[in-house]
Amino acid sequence: MIIELDMESDLPIYTQLTNQIIEGIASGKLQPGEALPSVRSMAQDIGINLHTVNKAYNLLKQDHYIHVHRQKGVVVNPDGMPQVDGDFAARQLKQLRPIIAEAILRGMTRDELEVIVNDIYKDIKP
């Protein structure tokens, strides 16, 4: 999987990295049990600070997307992905609400918004 970061983006690099790894897992490009590069290796490969990679990995670990093993290193959660729960749903609602509000303010219809969501879904999980 190729990680592409936008160094000019307002979105923090650790967030971009986290999002891309989650998308890689969702799309099947990263499989359960698959090894990810070590913090140092990832930082060198991408050309970013190792603390940035460490922060991304810690967030992914907190959400149970990855496991960090002393012997195996960093791996995609081999037991499968966490399921939707109340916390996840609440977090999604909190993140999506301002995006939808801005779309409404800019004149986007519900149908146009649904097309975008469907296109993104198909792009990630064909």
Side-chain angles (χ1 to χ4, degrees):
M1 186 179 117
I2 296 173
I3 301 289
E4 295 177 14
L5 302 176
D6 180 357
M7 301 302 182
E8 304 297 318
S9 174
D10 291 336
L11 199 60
I13 295 169
Y14 74 89
T15 303
Q16 293 180 53
L17 181 57
T18 301
N19 290 346
Q20 288 203 23
I21 292 171
I22 289 170
E23 186 172 327
I25 296 168
S27 68
K29 292 176 184 170
L30 294 172
Q31 295 293 315
E34 185 173 338
L36 296 176
S38 69
V39 170
R40 276 193 168 75
S41 179
M42 175 77 82
Q44 286 178 336
D45 291 349
I46 301 175
I48 60 176
N49 188 294
L50 64 98
H51 296 294
T52 303
V53 176
N54 194 46
K55 186 169 186 174
Y57 277 7
N58 280 331
L59 290 171
L60 291 163
K61 183 180 171 188
Q62 278 180 339
D63 289 336
H64 308 287
Y65 294 119
I66 64 171
H67 285 176
V68 179
H69 297 279
R70 289 176 200 239
Q71 296 165 336
K72 296 179 185 177
V74 181
V75 296
V76 176
N77 186 343
D79 301 325
M81 292 299 109
Q83 299 301 307
V84 174
D85 60 14
D87 284 347
F88 175 79
R91 211 169 56 233
Q92 295 304 302
L93 179 65
K94 187 176 182 181
Q95 291 174 351
L96 286 171
R97 192 172 197 87
I99 294 169
I100 294 168
E102 185 175 7
I104 291 167
L105 284 176
R106 292 178 176 263
M108 187 175 281
T109 67
R110 180 181 182 153
D111 289 340
E112 290 170 328
L113 192 57
E114 286 176 1
V115 166
I116 290 171
V117 170
N118 287 329
D119 286 348
I120 292 169
Y121 192 95
K122 287 178 198 170
D123 186 47
I124 294 172
K125 196 73 170 172

